[in-house]
Amino acid sequence: MLEKEIDLIELWEIIKKNLIKIIFIGILFAIAMFAISKFLISPKYQSYVSLIVNKEEDRSNNDGIQLNDVQLNQKLVGTYTEIIKTRGIAEIVIKNLGLDLSYEDFISMISVNSKNDTEIFEVSVKDTIPERASDIANETSKVFKDSIVKIMNVDNVQILDKAIVPEKPYSPNIIRNAVIGFLFGIMVSMFTSIIRFLTDTRIKSSEDITNEFGLPVIGIIPDKKI
């Protein structure tokens, strides 16, 4: 079996020779990804609530914010993000909203993210129903704010921004998926074209004989059709 070596010039020639086919396959992959994203994948919506941890203090005290207070509150954010995801909080929210969800389903919809080096964190909810996403986010933050008074014996959480009903889905990104499909199709088509060339052991020209066997060509019989 003949072994072939390929250089960049040959690689470029292979690509040019199969360019139309490569682009066509890329378009087919793009159309497939567009159709899958548009018609087969359920859109998901995201809604979130912003909260802040503040020091519980006497309102008549005008000493201002102290560095130690900020550092303490930042550390509390990590604790609070874990408390929000507990079963106790989830079950109250599920009951209050009358949701037909298990704890596992509920917790998979929620994520809590703290803002680096701040006292602010977000409760984010992802759902296929936009109204339910905002309802869960708002109710979770409310239940957490009320519960933290009993759990930690402090009232130091304030809601900055309530969740609103999202107008557009955050997933899937149809255009991005179509572009990825196009690029993937081009890569697959280029790869198969190169592999087909490398595995083709047929002798097609006198140059192939010289390159493969190192033998000089002393004559050529023309292919003349009568």
Side-chain angles (χ1 to χ4, degrees):
M1 183 176 180
L2 299 178
E3 295 182 358
K4 289 188 178 181
E5 293 183 0
I6 187 169
D7 57 25
L8 292 178
I9 296 177
E10 281 186 307
L11 180 61
W12 173 241
E13 291 298 325
I14 295 169
I15 293 174
K16 285 201 303 181
K17 182 179 178 181
N18 297 276
L19 185 59
I20 295 178
K21 182 178 69 174
I22 290 171
I23 294 176
F24 179 73
I25 292 177
I27 293 174
L28 288 181
F29 272 74
I31 293 174
M33 287 300 297
F34 178 88
I36 291 172
S37 301
K38 182 72 174 178
F39 302 110
L40 298 182
I41 300 178
S42 299
K44 286 191 175 183
Y45 299 84
Q46 184 174 23
S47 189
Y48 63 89
V49 176
S50 295
L51 303 98
I52 186 171
V53 180
N54 287 324
K55 184 182 73 170
E56 184 181 26
E57 60 181 356
D58 183 357
R59 297 302 179 185
S60 64
N61 187 347
N62 296 320
D63 291 340
I65 299 176
Q66 302 297 320
L67 179 60
N68 289 339
D69 298 331
V70 173
Q71 293 175 339
L72 174 60
N73 292 338
Q74 290 174 353
K75 292 180 180 180
L76 283 174
V77 167
T79 301
Y80 288 174
T81 57
E82 295 302 319
I83 293 176
I84 291 176
K85 295 182 289 184
T86 58
R87 186 179 295 273
I89 299 293
E91 288 177 349
I92 296 175
V93 175
I94 292 172
K95 180 180 178 181
N96 290 351
L97 295 178
L99 302 175
D100 185 19
L101 296 173
S102 66
Y103 168 73
E104 289 73 19
D105 293 333
F106 180 86
I107 208 65
S108 67
M109 300 163 62
I110 288 184
S111 61
V112 186
N113 304 303
S114 59
K115 300 298 183 179
N116 292 335
D117 300 324
T118 70
E119 302 164 88
I120 299 173
F121 61 103
E122 291 179 350
V123 178
S124 175
V125 178
K126 300 174 182 178
D127 195 2
T128 55
I129 304 174
E131 294 81 7
R132 189 168 67 178
S134 61
D135 288 344
I136 292 176
N138 284 323
E139 187 65 21
T140 300
S141 60
K142 179 179 178 295
V143 170
F144 166 73
K145 185 177 182 300
D146 295 339
S147 299
I148 206 67
V149 177
K150 302 176 182 178
I151 297 172
M152 302 288 289
N153 197 29
V154 291
D155 185 11
N156 63 346
V157 175
Q158 301 298 325
I159 297 175
L160 294 178
D161 291 314
K162 291 185 177 181
I164 60 175
V165 178
E167 297 180 358
K168 297 180 180 180
Y170 84 96
S171 175
N173 189 322
I174 297 176
I175 301 300
R176 182 189 64 188
N177 290 350
V179 171
I180 292 174
F182 177 74
L183 296 177
F184 181 75
I186 285 180
M187 291 177 60
V188 169
S189 182
M190 289 174 58
F191 180 76
T192 54
S193 297
I194 294 171
I195 293 299
R196 187 179 297 112
F197 173 80
L198 293 175
T199 56
D200 186 358
T201 59
R202 294 175 296 173
I203 301 298
K204 303 183 184 68
S205 66
S206 59
E207 288 81 3
D208 288 343
I209 296 176
T210 301
N211 293 335
E212 297 294 341
F213 301 103
L215 300 175
V217 177
I218 60 176
I220 299 176
I221 300 175
D223 182 11
K224 185 178 180 179
K225 295 182 179 179
I226 300 177

